Amino acid sequence: MKFGGTSVGSSDRIKEVASLITGRGQNIVVLSAMSGTTNTLVEISDYLRKRNINGAKQILNSLEKKYSATIAMLFSEVDYRMEADEEIRAIFSHIRALCHDNFSDVDEKEILAQGEMMSTTLMYLYLHERGIDAAFIPALDYMKIDADGEADTEYIREKLRNLLDESPAATLYITQGYICRNHLGEVDNLRRGGSDLTATLVGAAIEAQEIEIWTDIDGMHNNDPRYVEGTTPVSELHFDEAAELAYFGAKILHPACVLPAKVGNIPVRLLNTMAPHLPGTLIYNTDRSGCIKAVAAKDDIIAIRIKSSRMLLASNFMHRVFEIFDNYRKPIDMIATSEVGVSVTVDSPLKLEHIVDELKEIGTVTVDTDMVIVCVVGDLEWHNVGFEAVALKALAGIPVRMISYGGSNRNISFLIKKEDKIAALNALSATLFPSH
Ligand code: ADP
Ligand code: ASP
Ligand code: MG
Protein backbone atom coordinates (compact mmCIF):
# COMPACT_ATOMS: atom_id res chain seq x y z
CA MET A 1 0.00 0.00 0.00
CA LYS A 2 1.50 3.32 -1.09
CA PHE A 3 0.30 6.65 0.26
CA GLY A 4 1.21 9.87 -1.53
CA GLY A 5 2.07 13.29 -0.15
CA THR A 6 -1.46 14.62 0.34
CA SER A 7 -2.50 11.33 1.96
CA VAL A 8 0.06 11.90 4.74
CA GLY A 9 0.00 15.71 4.48
CA SER A 10 -1.21 16.59 8.01
CA SER A 11 -1.63 15.02 11.45
CA ASP A 12 -5.26 14.21 10.61
CA ARG A 13 -4.28 12.57 7.35
CA ILE A 14 -1.60 10.49 9.09
CA LYS A 15 -4.23 9.29 11.56
CA GLU A 16 -6.58 8.45 8.68
CA VAL A 17 -3.87 6.42 6.92
CA ALA A 18 -3.13 4.59 10.19
CA SER A 19 -6.78 3.50 10.24
CA LEU A 20 -6.73 2.49 6.57
CA ILE A 21 -3.70 0.25 6.96
CA THR A 22 -4.77 -1.59 10.10
CA GLY A 23 -7.00 -4.65 10.16
CA ARG A 24 -6.27 -5.53 6.53
CA GLY A 25 -3.79 -8.37 7.01
CA GLN A 26 -0.08 -8.29 6.32
CA ASN A 27 1.02 -5.26 4.31
CA ILE A 28 4.08 -3.28 3.37
CA VAL A 29 3.29 0.43 3.58
CA VAL A 30 5.25 2.80 1.34
CA LEU A 31 5.04 6.48 2.27
CA SER A 32 5.88 9.67 0.37
CA ALA A 33 7.01 12.82 2.12
CA MET A 34 4.24 15.02 3.54
CA SER A 35 2.89 17.20 0.71
CA GLY A 36 5.03 20.27 0.02
CA THR A 37 8.09 18.90 1.83
CA THR A 38 10.02 17.62 -1.20
CA ASN A 39 9.31 20.89 -3.05
CA THR A 40 10.65 22.81 -0.04
CA LEU A 41 13.75 20.61 0.10
CA VAL A 42 14.30 21.28 -3.63
CA GLU A 43 13.98 25.00 -2.91
CA ILE A 44 16.51 24.76 -0.06
CA SER A 45 18.93 22.96 -2.38
CA ASP A 46 18.49 25.71 -4.99
CA TYR A 47 19.51 28.33 -2.41
CA LEU A 48 22.52 26.24 -1.43
CA ARG A 49 23.59 25.86 -5.05
CA LYS A 50 23.54 29.64 -5.29
CA ARG A 51 25.61 29.80 -2.07
CA ASN A 52 22.77 31.57 -0.23
CA ILE A 53 23.07 29.70 3.04
CA ASN A 54 20.96 32.15 5.02
CA GLY A 55 18.13 31.87 2.50
CA ALA A 56 18.27 28.07 2.79
CA LYS A 57 18.28 28.17 6.58
CA GLN A 58 15.29 30.50 6.75
CA ILE A 59 13.17 28.12 4.69
CA LEU A 60 14.46 25.21 6.75
CA ASN A 61 13.42 26.93 9.98
CA SER A 62 9.86 27.43 8.81
CA LEU A 63 9.69 23.82 7.61
CA GLU A 64 10.85 22.68 11.05
CA LYS A 65 8.07 24.74 12.69
CA LYS A 66 5.50 22.95 10.51
CA TYR A 67 6.81 19.58 11.67
CA SER A 68 6.77 20.67 15.34
CA ALA A 69 3.13 21.70 14.93
CA THR A 70 2.28 18.38 13.27
CA ILE A 71 3.92 16.43 16.09
CA ALA A 72 2.04 18.45 18.71
CA MET A 73 -1.26 17.52 17.05
CA LEU A 74 -0.42 13.92 16.17
CA PHE A 75 0.66 12.43 19.48
CA SER A 76 -1.34 12.37 22.67
CA GLU A 77 1.23 10.64 24.87
CA VAL A 78 4.12 12.74 26.11
CA ASP A 79 6.77 10.04 25.65
CA TYR A 80 5.92 9.52 22.00
CA ARG A 81 5.73 13.27 21.39
CA MET A 82 9.20 13.69 22.90
CA GLU A 83 10.64 10.84 20.89
CA ALA A 84 9.14 12.21 17.66
CA ASP A 85 10.48 15.69 18.47
CA GLU A 86 13.92 14.26 19.07
CA GLU A 87 14.01 12.22 15.87
CA ILE A 88 12.71 15.04 13.68
CA ARG A 89 15.15 17.47 15.33
CA ALA A 90 18.00 15.08 14.48
CA ILE A 91 16.90 15.05 10.83
CA PHE A 92 16.81 18.86 10.71
CA SER A 93 20.29 19.01 12.31
CA HIS A 94 21.50 16.62 9.63
CA ILE A 95 20.08 18.93 6.91
CA ARG A 96 21.66 22.00 8.59
CA ALA A 97 25.04 20.25 8.58
CA LEU A 98 24.68 20.00 4.79
CA CYS A 99 24.08 23.76 4.43
CA HIS A 100 27.62 24.75 3.56
CA ASP A 101 29.63 26.46 0.83
CA ASN A 102 30.81 23.31 -0.92
CA PHE A 103 27.30 22.04 -1.56
CA SER A 104 27.43 19.09 -3.98
CA ASP A 105 25.04 16.85 -5.95
CA VAL A 106 25.54 14.18 -3.29
CA ASP A 107 24.52 16.64 -0.55
CA GLU A 108 21.43 17.60 -2.53
CA LYS A 109 20.26 14.01 -2.82
CA GLU A 110 20.87 13.51 0.88
CA ILE A 111 18.66 16.54 1.59
CA LEU A 112 15.90 15.42 -0.80
CA ALA A 113 15.76 12.06 1.00
CA GLN A 114 14.81 13.62 4.34
CA GLY A 115 11.12 14.17 3.54
CA GLU A 116 10.40 10.45 3.37
CA MET A 117 12.62 9.88 6.43
CA MET A 118 10.37 12.23 8.41
CA SER A 119 6.97 10.97 7.22
CA THR A 120 7.88 7.34 7.93
CA THR A 121 9.33 8.22 11.35
CA LEU A 122 6.08 9.95 12.30
CA MET A 123 3.89 7.12 11.03
CA TYR A 124 5.99 4.46 12.73
CA LEU A 125 5.85 6.21 16.11
CA TYR A 126 2.16 7.01 15.76
CA LEU A 127 1.31 3.35 15.04
CA HIS A 128 3.27 2.35 18.13
CA GLU A 129 1.43 4.93 20.22
CA ARG A 130 -1.78 3.26 19.04
CA GLY A 131 -0.40 -0.08 20.16
CA ILE A 132 0.26 -1.41 16.64
CA ASP A 133 3.55 -3.27 16.43
CA ALA A 134 4.76 -2.15 13.01
CA ALA A 135 8.25 -2.97 11.75
CA PHE A 136 10.51 -0.43 10.06
CA ILE A 137 12.17 -1.40 6.78
CA PRO A 138 14.71 1.29 5.77
CA ALA A 139 14.54 1.84 2.00
CA LEU A 140 18.24 2.69 1.89
CA ASP A 141 18.97 -0.91 2.99
CA TYR A 142 17.27 -2.53 -0.03
CA MET A 143 16.21 -0.04 -2.76
CA LYS A 144 18.98 0.35 -5.33
CA ILE A 145 19.56 1.72 -8.84
CA ASP A 146 22.38 0.73 -11.16
CA ALA A 147 24.81 2.94 -13.09
CA ASP A 148 22.09 3.62 -15.72
CA GLY A 149 19.58 4.68 -13.07
CA GLU A 150 17.55 1.49 -13.52
CA ALA A 151 16.22 -0.44 -10.53
CA ASP A 152 18.45 -3.37 -9.57
CA THR A 153 15.56 -5.80 -9.16
CA GLU A 154 17.64 -8.82 -8.10
CA TYR A 155 19.36 -6.86 -5.33
CA ILE A 156 16.04 -5.37 -4.18
CA ARG A 157 14.37 -8.77 -4.03
CA GLU A 158 17.13 -10.39 -2.03
CA LYS A 159 17.73 -7.55 0.44
CA LEU A 160 14.04 -6.85 1.01
CA ARG A 161 13.23 -10.49 1.65
CA ASN A 162 16.08 -10.71 4.18
CA LEU A 163 14.83 -7.60 5.97
CA LEU A 164 11.27 -8.94 6.10
CA ASP A 165 12.55 -12.24 7.49
CA GLU A 166 14.04 -10.33 10.41
CA SER A 167 10.53 -9.38 11.63
CA PRO A 168 8.37 -12.35 10.60
CA ALA A 169 5.64 -11.67 13.15
CA ALA A 170 4.85 -8.11 12.07
CA THR A 171 1.64 -7.38 10.17
CA LEU A 172 2.72 -3.93 9.02
CA TYR A 173 6.06 -2.94 7.56
CA ILE A 174 6.70 0.77 7.08
CA THR A 175 9.15 1.94 4.41
CA GLN A 176 10.12 5.10 2.52
CA GLY A 177 9.10 5.68 -1.07
CA TYR A 178 11.27 7.58 -3.58
CA ILE A 179 14.67 7.15 -1.91
CA CYS A 180 17.34 4.62 -2.79
CA ARG A 181 21.06 4.09 -3.12
CA ASN A 182 22.92 4.29 -6.41
CA HIS A 183 25.68 2.03 -7.75
CA LEU A 184 28.25 4.03 -5.75
CA GLY A 185 26.33 3.41 -2.53
CA GLU A 186 25.33 7.08 -2.26
CA VAL A 187 21.83 8.20 -1.27
CA ASP A 188 19.84 8.84 -4.45
CA ASN A 189 16.20 8.92 -5.54
CA LEU A 190 13.82 7.49 -8.13
CA ARG A 191 13.00 11.00 -9.43
CA ARG A 192 9.96 13.09 -8.62
CA GLY A 193 6.84 11.06 -7.93
CA GLY A 194 9.10 8.04 -7.37
CA SER A 195 7.18 6.54 -4.46
CA ASP A 196 4.84 4.91 -6.97
CA LEU A 197 7.86 3.14 -8.43
CA THR A 198 9.01 2.07 -4.96
CA ALA A 199 5.56 0.55 -4.44
CA THR A 200 5.58 -1.50 -7.65
CA LEU A 201 9.20 -2.59 -7.18
CA VAL A 202 8.38 -3.74 -3.64
CA GLY A 203 5.18 -5.43 -4.82
CA ALA A 204 7.08 -7.27 -7.56
CA ALA A 205 9.95 -8.22 -5.20
CA ILE A 206 7.63 -9.93 -2.72
CA GLU A 207 5.20 -11.22 -5.37
CA ALA A 208 2.38 -9.33 -3.68
CA GLN A 209 -1.24 -10.25 -4.29
CA GLU A 210 -2.02 -6.67 -5.22
CA ILE A 211 -0.41 -3.22 -5.16
CA GLU A 212 -2.55 -0.36 -3.88
CA ILE A 213 -1.64 3.21 -4.74
CA TRP A 214 -3.58 5.58 -2.50
CA THR A 215 -3.75 9.20 -3.58
CA ASP A 216 -5.98 12.28 -3.55
CA ILE A 217 -8.27 11.33 -6.45
CA ASP A 218 -10.55 8.37 -7.18
CA GLY A 219 -8.36 6.63 -9.75
CA MET A 220 -7.06 7.37 -13.24
CA HIS A 221 -9.43 9.85 -14.87
CA ASN A 222 -10.20 9.88 -18.59
CA ASN A 223 -8.41 13.22 -18.97
CA ASP A 224 -6.19 15.48 -16.89
CA PRO A 225 -8.46 16.93 -14.17
CA ARG A 226 -6.13 19.90 -13.76
CA TYR A 227 -7.08 21.14 -17.25
CA VAL A 228 -10.43 19.56 -18.09
CA GLU A 229 -13.63 19.82 -16.08
CA GLY A 230 -15.96 16.88 -15.58
CA THR A 231 -13.40 14.10 -16.07
CA THR A 232 -14.42 10.70 -14.71
CA PRO A 233 -12.47 7.73 -13.37
CA VAL A 234 -11.65 4.82 -15.68
CA SER A 235 -12.63 1.62 -13.89
CA GLU A 236 -10.20 -0.74 -15.64
CA LEU A 237 -6.98 -0.36 -17.59
CA HIS A 238 -4.63 -2.86 -19.15
CA PHE A 239 -1.05 -2.62 -17.84
CA ASP A 240 0.04 -1.30 -21.26
CA GLU A 241 -2.66 1.39 -21.30
CA ALA A 242 -1.69 2.55 -17.80
CA ALA A 243 1.99 2.53 -18.78
CA GLU A 244 1.30 4.73 -21.83
CA LEU A 245 -0.76 7.19 -19.77
CA ALA A 246 1.85 7.36 -17.00
CA TYR A 247 4.70 7.81 -19.46
CA PHE A 248 2.81 10.46 -21.43
CA GLY A 249 2.00 12.70 -18.50
CA ALA A 250 -0.81 11.35 -16.27
CA LYS A 251 0.75 12.63 -13.05
CA ILE A 252 -1.17 10.18 -10.87
CA LEU A 253 1.47 7.54 -11.72
CA HIS A 254 5.27 7.81 -11.97
CA PRO A 255 6.24 7.41 -15.66
CA ALA A 256 8.04 4.08 -15.08
CA CYS A 257 6.01 2.50 -12.28
CA VAL A 258 3.75 0.19 -14.31
CA LEU A 259 6.49 -2.06 -15.69
CA PRO A 260 7.45 -3.93 -12.48
CA ALA A 261 3.76 -4.71 -11.84
CA LYS A 262 3.26 -5.83 -15.44
CA VAL A 263 6.32 -8.09 -15.38
CA GLY A 264 5.13 -9.69 -12.13
CA ASN A 265 1.49 -9.69 -13.36
CA ILE A 266 0.42 -8.03 -10.11
CA PRO A 267 -2.80 -5.98 -10.27
CA VAL A 268 -2.47 -2.32 -9.28
CA ARG A 269 -5.41 -0.53 -7.72
CA LEU A 270 -5.55 3.28 -7.64
CA LEU A 271 -7.57 4.46 -4.66
CA ASN A 272 -8.58 7.72 -3.00
CA THR A 273 -7.55 8.27 0.64
CA MET A 274 -10.22 10.98 0.93
CA ALA A 275 -12.97 8.59 -0.29
CA PRO A 276 -11.72 5.07 0.47
CA HIS A 277 -15.05 3.38 -0.34
CA LEU A 278 -14.89 4.34 -4.05
CA PRO A 279 -13.76 1.61 -6.45
CA GLY A 280 -10.97 3.63 -8.15
CA THR A 281 -9.09 2.10 -11.08
CA LEU A 282 -7.90 -1.48 -11.44
CA ILE A 283 -4.86 -1.99 -13.66
CA TYR A 284 -4.28 -5.58 -14.73
CA ASN A 285 -3.94 -7.92 -17.65
CA THR A 286 -7.47 -7.21 -18.85
CA ASP A 287 -8.83 -8.19 -22.26
CA ARG A 288 -9.29 -5.76 -25.09
CA SER A 289 -11.97 -3.24 -24.31
CA GLY A 290 -13.06 -1.92 -27.70
CA CYS A 291 -13.02 1.68 -26.56
CA ILE A 292 -10.81 4.70 -26.03
CA LYS A 293 -10.01 4.99 -22.34
CA ALA A 294 -8.18 8.22 -21.58
CA VAL A 295 -6.08 11.15 -22.72
CA ALA A 296 -2.87 12.53 -21.19
CA ALA A 297 -0.36 15.23 -22.05
CA LYS A 298 3.39 15.41 -21.58
CA ASP A 299 4.97 18.88 -21.41
CA ASP A 300 8.38 20.31 -22.32
CA ILE A 301 8.85 18.28 -25.46
CA ILE A 302 11.42 19.20 -28.10
CA ALA A 303 10.89 18.21 -31.73
CA ILE A 304 13.87 17.70 -34.04
CA ARG A 305 13.51 17.35 -37.80
CA ILE A 306 16.42 15.99 -39.80
CA LYS A 307 16.14 16.38 -43.57
CA SER A 308 18.47 14.16 -45.51
CA SER A 309 21.16 16.06 -47.42
CA ARG A 310 20.38 13.86 -50.43
CA MET A 311 16.98 13.97 -52.10
CA LEU A 312 16.23 10.31 -51.50
CA LEU A 313 17.02 8.83 -48.13
CA ALA A 314 20.32 7.03 -48.22
CA SER A 315 19.89 3.49 -46.99
CA ASN A 316 21.77 4.07 -43.77
CA PHE A 317 20.35 7.53 -43.01
CA MET A 318 17.91 6.26 -40.37
CA HIS A 319 20.56 4.09 -38.84
CA ARG A 320 22.89 7.07 -38.48
CA VAL A 321 20.17 9.27 -36.99
CA PHE A 322 19.27 6.75 -34.31
CA GLU A 323 22.89 5.88 -33.65
CA ILE A 324 23.57 9.50 -32.71
CA PHE A 325 20.70 9.54 -30.20
CA ASP A 326 21.77 6.15 -28.92
CA ASN A 327 25.39 7.21 -28.42
CA TYR A 328 24.14 9.93 -26.08
CA ARG A 329 21.70 7.49 -24.43
CA LYS A 330 18.91 9.85 -25.35
CA PRO A 331 15.46 8.24 -25.47
CA ILE A 332 13.12 9.22 -28.32
CA ASP A 333 9.36 9.48 -27.66
CA MET A 334 7.73 10.02 -31.06
CA ILE A 335 8.88 9.41 -34.63
CA ALA A 336 7.45 10.44 -38.02
CA THR A 337 9.13 9.70 -41.31
CA SER A 338 8.87 10.74 -44.94
CA GLU A 339 10.86 10.19 -48.09
CA VAL A 340 13.18 13.05 -47.34
CA GLY A 341 13.52 13.14 -43.60
CA VAL A 342 12.52 12.17 -40.12
CA SER A 343 11.07 14.03 -37.12
CA VAL A 344 11.64 12.80 -33.58
CA THR A 345 10.86 14.15 -30.12
CA VAL A 346 12.80 14.11 -26.87
CA ASP A 347 11.68 15.18 -23.41
CA SER A 348 14.64 17.20 -22.19
CA PRO A 349 17.35 19.51 -23.58
CA LEU A 350 20.07 17.42 -21.88
CA LYS A 351 22.97 16.78 -24.33
CA LEU A 352 20.83 18.11 -27.17
CA GLU A 353 23.42 20.62 -28.38
CA HIS A 354 25.92 17.82 -29.06
CA ILE A 355 23.27 15.66 -30.69
CA VAL A 356 22.17 18.48 -33.01
CA ASP A 357 25.80 19.22 -33.93
CA GLU A 358 26.30 15.61 -35.00
CA LEU A 359 22.95 15.45 -36.81
CA LYS A 360 24.00 18.48 -38.87
CA GLU A 361 26.73 16.33 -40.40
CA ILE A 362 24.10 14.13 -42.07
CA GLY A 363 21.30 16.59 -42.86
CA THR A 364 19.52 19.88 -42.26
CA VAL A 365 18.24 20.14 -38.70
CA THR A 366 15.38 22.19 -37.25
CA VAL A 367 14.45 22.23 -33.56
CA ASP A 368 11.06 23.25 -32.09
CA THR A 369 10.88 23.73 -28.33
CA ASP A 370 7.90 24.17 -25.96
CA MET A 371 5.90 21.40 -27.56
CA VAL A 372 3.45 18.99 -25.91
CA ILE A 373 2.61 15.37 -26.69
CA VAL A 374 -1.07 14.62 -26.36
CA CYS A 375 -1.61 10.91 -26.10
CA VAL A 376 -4.93 9.13 -26.66
CA VAL A 377 -4.95 5.67 -25.09
CA GLY A 378 -7.25 2.71 -25.44
CA ASP A 379 -8.11 -0.11 -27.78
CA LEU A 380 -6.49 1.40 -30.89
CA GLU A 381 -5.87 -1.87 -32.70
CA TRP A 382 -5.84 -0.91 -36.38
CA HIS A 383 -8.82 -3.06 -37.38
CA ASN A 384 -11.01 -0.94 -35.10
CA VAL A 385 -12.15 1.20 -37.98
CA GLY A 386 -12.54 4.89 -37.30
CA PHE A 387 -11.03 5.12 -33.81
CA GLU A 388 -8.06 7.20 -34.95
CA ALA A 389 -10.35 9.28 -37.15
CA VAL A 390 -12.41 10.38 -34.14
CA ALA A 391 -9.32 11.55 -32.28
CA LEU A 392 -8.09 13.34 -35.38
CA LYS A 393 -11.47 15.00 -35.90
CA ALA A 394 -11.43 16.34 -32.33
CA LEU A 395 -8.21 18.17 -33.10
CA ALA A 396 -9.49 19.65 -36.37
CA GLY A 397 -9.01 23.25 -35.17
CA ILE A 398 -5.51 22.77 -33.72
CA PRO A 399 -2.18 22.89 -35.56
CA VAL A 400 -0.57 19.45 -35.26
CA ARG A 401 3.19 19.17 -35.80
CA MET A 402 3.47 15.34 -35.70
CA ILE A 403 1.22 12.28 -35.43
CA SER A 404 2.31 8.83 -34.30
CA TYR A 405 0.04 5.81 -34.72
CA GLY A 406 0.64 2.10 -35.07
CA GLY A 407 3.67 1.83 -32.79
CA SER A 408 1.44 -0.11 -30.41
CA ASN A 409 -2.19 -1.18 -30.42
CA ARG A 410 -2.99 1.17 -27.61
CA ASN A 411 -2.02 4.71 -28.47
CA ILE A 412 -2.16 7.57 -30.91
CA SER A 413 -0.01 10.60 -30.13
CA PHE A 414 -0.13 14.15 -31.41
CA LEU A 415 2.57 16.78 -31.07
CA ILE A 416 1.18 20.27 -30.63
CA LYS A 417 2.29 23.66 -29.33
CA LYS A 418 2.26 24.29 -25.58
CA GLU A 419 -0.31 27.09 -25.94
CA ASP A 420 -2.78 24.71 -27.63
CA LYS A 421 -2.62 22.03 -24.93
CA ILE A 422 -5.66 22.97 -22.85
CA ALA A 423 -7.83 23.48 -25.94
CA ALA A 424 -6.67 20.12 -27.34
CA LEU A 425 -7.37 18.21 -24.11
CA ASN A 426 -10.84 19.77 -23.84
CA ALA A 427 -11.65 19.13 -27.50
CA LEU A 428 -10.65 15.48 -27.11
CA SER A 429 -12.84 15.03 -24.02
CA ALA A 430 -15.80 16.67 -25.76
CA THR A 431 -15.48 14.33 -28.75
CA LEU A 432 -14.31 11.09 -27.12
CA PHE A 433 -16.29 11.19 -23.87
CA PRO A 434 -19.33 13.31 -24.86
CA SER A 435 -21.60 12.27 -21.99
CA HIS A 436 -19.22 13.80 -19.42
P1 ADP B 1 0.48 11.60 -4.80
O1 ADP B 1 1.11 12.69 -3.99
O2 ADP B 1 -0.57 10.84 -4.06
O3 ADP B 1 1.48 10.74 -5.48
P2 ADP B 1 0.11 13.06 -7.26
O4 ADP B 1 -0.10 14.53 -7.12
O5 ADP B 1 1.45 12.61 -7.66
O6 ADP B 1 -0.37 12.37 -5.91
O7 ADP B 1 -0.95 12.44 -8.30
C1 ADP B 1 -2.33 12.71 -8.16
C2 ADP B 1 -2.71 13.89 -9.02
O8 ADP B 1 -2.50 13.58 -10.40
C3 ADP B 1 -4.19 14.24 -8.99
O9 ADP B 1 -4.49 15.08 -7.89
C4 ADP B 1 -4.41 14.94 -10.33
O10 ADP B 1 -4.36 16.33 -10.22
C5 ADP B 1 -3.22 14.51 -11.18
N1 ADP B 1 -3.61 13.86 -12.44
C6 ADP B 1 -3.13 14.16 -13.66
N2 ADP B 1 -3.69 13.41 -14.60
C7 ADP B 1 -4.57 12.58 -13.97
C8 ADP B 1 -5.47 11.58 -14.42
N3 ADP B 1 -5.57 11.23 -15.71
N4 ADP B 1 -6.24 10.95 -13.50
C9 ADP B 1 -6.14 11.27 -12.19
N5 ADP B 1 -5.30 12.22 -11.72
C10 ADP B 1 -4.51 12.87 -12.59
N1 ASP C 1 8.22 12.96 -2.28
C1 ASP C 1 8.63 12.69 -3.64
C2 ASP C 1 8.12 13.79 -4.55
O1 ASP C 1 7.46 14.73 -4.09
C3 ASP C 1 8.20 11.34 -4.11
C4 ASP C 1 6.71 11.11 -4.23
O2 ASP C 1 5.91 11.88 -3.72
O3 ASP C 1 6.34 10.11 -4.86
O4 ASP C 1 8.40 13.76 -5.71
MG1 MG D 1 2.76 11.13 -7.08
Side-chain angles (χ1 to χ4, degrees), residues 2 4-5 32 192-196 215 251-254:
K2 175 259 170 175
S32 295
R192 297 305 305 271
S195 300
D196 302 327
T215 181
K251 189 193 171 222
I252 185 170
L253 290 175
H254 179 279

Side-chain angles (χ1 to χ4, degrees), residues 287-312:
D287 283 337
R288 311 202 67 82
S289 59
C291 67
I292 290 180
K293 298 274 187 70
V295 178
K298 186 170 173 176
D299 299 325
D300 299 324
I301 302 294
I302 302 163
I304 304 137
R305 171 178 289 147
I306 310 107
K307 247 180 92 183
S308 172
S309 313
R310 299 170 46 178
M311 265 316 275
L312 291 177

Side-chain angles (χ1 to χ4, degrees), residues 135-138 141 159-170 173:
F136 202 82
I137 308 282
D141 290 354
K159 292 285 178 188
L160 179 59
R161 288 184 171 207
N162 290 343
L163 287 166
L164 294 173
D165 285 346
E166 287 172 19
S167 318
Y173 300 88

Side-chain angles (χ1 to χ4, degrees), residues 127-173:
L127 289 170
H128 280 258
E129 188 190 74
R130 277 177 58 162
I132 299 155
D133 189 20
F136 202 82
I137 308 282
L140 298 182
D141 290 354
Y142 70 87
M143 190 53 68
K144 192 171 164 217
I145 49 173
D146 63 20
D148 294 326
E150 301 289 333
D152 186 341
T153 48
E154 275 313 304
Y155 179 96
I156 296 165
R157 178 182 298 262
E158 194 191 318
K159 292 285 178 188
L160 179 59
R161 288 184 171 207
N162 290 343
L163 287 166
L164 294 173
D165 285 346
E166 287 172 19
S167 318
T171 44
L172 286 177
Y173 300 88

Side-chain angles (χ1 to χ4, degrees), residues 2 4-5 214-217 219-221 223-226 250-252:
K2 175 259 170 175
W214 291 80
T215 181
D216 57 5
I217 189 165
M220 177 74 78
H221 277 220
N223 206 328
D224 195 322
R226 294 169 297 177
K251 189 193 171 222
I252 185 170

